[in-house]
Amino acid sequence: GTFPACAQERDTVTRKALPNGLVALFKEEKSRGIVAVDVFIKVGLEQEDEIRAGITQLIQSLLVKGNGKLSGDKMDCRLESSGIFIESRSEPDYALISIITDKNNFQFVLGLLAGLLREPLFADDELEKDRRKLVEELEAQKGGYRDLYEIFLQSFYRYHPYRLPRWGYVSSVKQLTRKNLLDFYGRYYVPNRMVISI
């Protein structure tokens, strides 16, 4: 049978494809004062290799640290004082940036998001800190289940990108440079690989 309520919900979503390839989805709910913004980027294990394994995860952690105009403590203070929640993560097939705010901060959030995506900072000190943290996490997971899981990935997904661990290898993460990140970002973090849902 049909479900009229579901069809009605689906009809309220507006889809716009911009000339640069960016796809935007909008759904307004006037009864709520909360705005949720998700940016999906078509990047993941398929774009990585043994040498660059973990690069998407590292980029995602650095993206939300700011850009040339707003970064570090200044950005943290602005987000906290405005009640804005921001997070990013990488999955095997996509990367995601999520922001939740109220309607009063919506314009600021869109400007912030545009700045983060157009002018990523990837500051050397932040890169070093995030790389060290990721390496520590990977080293802490070594042995037992983690090693067994990597053997499974290598065996089961032998010729498929899923054979790579999502957060990379200690050796690959240690050798990633700011230039590696910027080159990868410039190639894959482009409008025609993004969908923004508001």
Side-chain angles (χ1 to χ4, degrees), residues 73-160:
D73 292 339
K74 224 186 211 183
M75 183 167 143
D76 291 343
C77 184
R78 175 64 201 264
L79 297 179
E80 280 181 33
S81 65
S82 303
I84 298 169
F85 171 78
I86 184 169
E87 74 168 348
S88 69
R89 70 176 193 267
S90 67
E91 297 292 337
D93 300 313
Y94 67 91
L96 173 68
I97 300 171
S98 293
I99 303 176
I100 298 174
T101 187
D102 61 26
K103 63 183 180 182
N104 298 326
N105 287 306
F106 180 55
Q107 258 187 317
F108 167 74
V109 161
L110 279 186
L112 173 68
L113 187 58
L116 294 174
L117 290 170
R118 290 165 101 185
E119 304 165 15
L121 191 56
F122 299 152
D124 289 326
D125 58 332
E126 290 290 347
L127 169 57
E128 193 50 46
K129 189 167 63 174
D130 282 21
R131 182 193 1 245
R132 196 173 339 125
K133 183 180 174 189
L134 185 52
V135 165
E136 286 170 5
E137 287 173 7
L138 290 169
E139 285 177 337
Q141 294 172 4
K142 273 189 175 180
Y145 173 76
R146 180 67 186 183
D147 288 352
L148 188 60
Y149 185 62
E150 282 192 23
I151 291 168
F152 166 77
L153 290 176
Q154 291 288 332
S155 302
F156 193 79
Y157 294 111
R158 194 169 176 188
Y159 301 110
H160 191 280

Side-chain angles (χ1 to χ4, degrees), residues 55-69:
I55 194 168
T56 307
Q57 176 64 30
L58 197 52
I59 285 174
Q60 286 300 113
S61 70
L62 288 166
L63 260 182
V64 294
K65 300 283 174 77
N67 62 9
K69 295 182 179 120

Side-chain angles (χ1 to χ4, degrees), residues 23-55:
V23 173
L25 305 172
F26 308 92
K27 181 180 176 193
E28 187 175 3
E29 293 190 19
K30 293 181 179 176
S31 62
R32 299 188 179 134
I34 300 296
V35 180
V37 180
D38 291 316
V39 179
F40 296 89
I41 304 116
K42 298 174 199 169
V43 65
L45 296 178
E46 190 174 345
Q47 288 71 42
E48 297 184 10
D49 53 29
E50 305 287 334
I51 296 167
R52 296 179 299 183
I55 194 168

